[in-house]
């Protein structure tokens, strides 16, 4: 995430350039909040089994929902052609269909709104000369990532329309992880545009490597959580700390070939998500100790303490979600907290990297 090649010290920032950075930063913060909301709405769409209720991808025409009884019946008839209805929801009423339809429709509309909320201000800032030269390509790449996410979302939905009764867990985990990649990317840019005047800590390279390791573990845990959601693995083995009455349950490698267990075996997928949480907590504590020993400025120390706290809070939410058999509000809080953990992991690295330098 190297942005804005240095050409002058940050102290050379003019008042107008500082105002431009503030405006762009606030815009990007808004985008991050929208992405967080998108992750939560996407989680609700998954948990309510609503994701396959709209069986076509119409980026423009799809913004208009059914407006008459005839249009509702036409949409319902399309849904009745797919395996999810025929094998699971056969006989559901039109009102029941409307419930799942509105969740998926809201999810898609929020995605479209995020695209507009990103593209239109980008054009405005660009046209009025408020974007620094080195920031233009990174912001354009963010727009590309948003378009890619839309395509991945439909790729995910398409996996559940022909032979399956739900979407592929591989594609769901990819869709969720890419959403978090976009969040991290936009948040990184925004935070690097904020003023930072803190001193570089001793052994900054060591802390940076440790911070990247924690960030990598956060992304891995998010991907593993996507597999859990895709397989509904959270609805099984709802005990803690033991799983199926054992610390290491039997049956983790019953599938052939063995690698399939890590993606398709419900027991293994949940077990590895549990292990991922333990590893992440240990890594967070190690980063905390290392930072407090070697960092001198308050901002970095406060950031690592908050990062550790939210990681442990997320683990507690995960356990609660499991014990409550994936109760909707708790599960959505768990998903939202994952994005907050990600944001704090990025913030730690930004604190080490410092403010984006001013181009000549």
């Amino acid at each position: 995430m190297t942005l804005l090649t240095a050409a002058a010290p940050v102290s050379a920032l003019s008042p107008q350039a500082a105002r431009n950075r503030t405006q762009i930063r606030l815009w990007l913060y808004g985008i991050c909040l929208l992405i967080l909301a998108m992750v939560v709405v996407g989680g609700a769409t998954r948990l309510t089994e609503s994701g396959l209720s709209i069986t076509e991808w119409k980026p423009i025409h799809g913004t208009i929902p059914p407006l008459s009884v005839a249009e509702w019946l036409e949409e319902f008839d399309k849904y009745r052609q797919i395996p999810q209805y025929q094998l699971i929801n056969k006989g559901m009423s039109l009102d029941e269909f409307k419930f799942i339809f509105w969740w998926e429709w809201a999810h898609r509309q929020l995605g479209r709104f995020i695209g507009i909320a990103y593209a239109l201000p980008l054009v405005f800032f660009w046209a009025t000369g408020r974007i620094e030269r080195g920031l233009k390509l990174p912001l354009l790449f963010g727009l590309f990532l948003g378009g890619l996410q839309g395509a991945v979302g439909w790729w995910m939905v398409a996996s559940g329309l022909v032979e399956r009764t739900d979407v592929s867990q591989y594609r769901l985990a990819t869709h969720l992880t890419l959403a978090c990649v976009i969040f991290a990317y936009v948040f990184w840019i925004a935070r690097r545009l904020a003023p930072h005047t803190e001193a570089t800590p001793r052994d900054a390279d060591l802390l940076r490597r440790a911070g990247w390791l924690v960030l990598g573990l956060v992304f891995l845990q998010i991907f593993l959580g996507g597999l859990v959601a895709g397989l509904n693995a959270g609805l099984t083995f709802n005990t803690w700390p033991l799983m199926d009455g054992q610390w290491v349950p039997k049956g983790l490698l019953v599938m052939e070939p063995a690698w399939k267990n890590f993606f398709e075996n419900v027991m293994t997928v949940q077990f590895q998500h549990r292990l991922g949480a333990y590893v992440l907590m240990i890594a967070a504590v190690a980063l905390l100790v290392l930072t407090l020993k070697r960092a001198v400025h308050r901002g970095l120390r406060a950031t690592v303490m908050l990062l550790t706290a939210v990681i442990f809070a997320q683990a507690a939410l995960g356990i609660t979600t499991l014990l409550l058999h994936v109760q909707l509000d708790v599960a959505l809080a768990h998903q939202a907290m994952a994005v907050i953990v990600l944001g704090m992991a990025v913030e730690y690295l930004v604190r080490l990297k410092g403010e984006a330098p001013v181009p000549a």
Side-chain angles (χ1 to χ4, degrees), residues 53-335:
S53 58
I54 302 178
T55 60
E56 296 175 319
W57 190 32
K58 298 178 179 178
I60 305 299
H61 184 261
T63 59
I64 303 174
L67 299 176
S68 66
V69 174
E71 290 178 349
W72 274 113
L73 291 175
E74 180 184 357
E75 203 69 41
F76 190 21
D77 188 59
K78 293 174 183 177
Y79 176 68
R80 285 186 290 193
Q81 307 307 311
I82 69 172
Q84 185 183 78
Y85 173 83
Q86 295 169 358
L87 299 177
I88 297 178
N89 291 332
K90 195 173 183 67
M92 76 183 316
S93 67
L94 180 60
D95 285 340
E96 290 171 330
F97 170 72
K98 288 181 179 181
F99 174 80
I100 63 174
F101 178 93
W102 284 122
W103 270 116
E104 175 62 9
W105 186 84
H107 184 53
R108 296 192 186 193
Q109 298 320 300
L110 183 54
R112 292 182 176 101
F113 179 74
I114 293 174
I116 294 171
Y118 191 98
L120 292 185
L122 175 61
V123 171
F124 171 77
F125 288 133
W126 196 307
T128 55
R130 304 180 191 214
I131 303 178
E132 298 167 17
R133 182 179 56 195
L135 190 57
K136 290 180 178 179
L137 284 180
L139 289 177
L140 277 178
F141 185 66
L143 186 63
F144 165 78
L145 288 176
L148 177 62
Q149 176 69 336
V152 169
W154 173 248
W155 175 64
M156 176 190 69
V157 170
S159 68
L161 297 178
V162 181
E163 297 178 352
R164 300 172 57 104
T165 59
D166 55 5
V167 300
S168 162
Q169 73 272 20
Y170 297 98
R171 300 187 188 189
L172 186 148
T174 301
H175 189 50
L176 173 62
T177 305
L178 181 55
C180 292
V181 167
I182 296 171
F183 174 89
Y185 181 79
V186 174
F187 188 66
W188 170 273
I189 296 175
R191 293 301 297 141
R192 295 237 29 230
L193 295 176
H196 293 292
T197 58
E198 297 157 337
T200 302
R202 292 179 293 118
D203 299 320
D205 287 341
L206 175 62
L207 296 179
R208 192 173 295 112
R209 289 194 296 270
W212 278 106
L213 174 61
V214 169
L215 180 63
L217 290 173
V218 171
F219 272 119
L220 176 61
Q221 187 67 346
I222 287 171
F223 180 81
L224 295 178
L227 293 178
V228 169
L231 290 173
N232 290 320
L235 297 174
T236 61
F237 309 107
N238 300 97
T239 59
W240 186 86
L242 299 182
M243 181 175 176
D244 199 26
Q246 305 164 82
W247 289 104
V248 180
K250 298 177 181 178
L252 293 175
L253 297 175
V254 295
M255 288 185 174
E256 293 291 344
W259 66 265
K260 293 184 68 175
N261 290 279
F262 301 101
F263 301 96
E264 301 181 17
N265 184 332
V266 171
M267 174 184 283
T268 309
V269 164
Q270 189 193 121
F271 182 70
Q272 68 191 7
H273 192 50
R274 293 187 184 208
L275 287 183
Y278 302 147
V279 171
L280 182 56
M281 286 190 290
I282 293 171
V285 171
L287 182 66
L288 173 67
V289 173
L290 191 63
T291 304
L292 293 181
K293 288 178 61 176
R294 298 174 183 272
V296 293
H297 58 73
R298 295 180 179 179
L300 189 63
R301 295 166 70 92
T303 298
V304 75
M305 288 188 283
L306 186 55
L307 171 60
T308 305
V310 294
I311 286 175
F312 274 78
Q314 172 69 338
L317 264 176
I319 294 168
T320 305
T321 301
L322 183 70
L323 297 179
L324 294 179
H325 295 256
V326 196
Q327 183 176 304
L328 183 62
D329 55 347
V330 180
L332 294 181
H334 182 54
Q335 194 150 331

Side-chain angles (χ1 to χ4, degrees), residues 329-347:
D329 55 347
V330 180
L332 294 181
H334 182 54
Q335 194 150 331
M337 183 64 79
V339 181
I340 294 172
V341 169
L342 177 61
M344 290 308 306
V346 172
E347 174 68 11

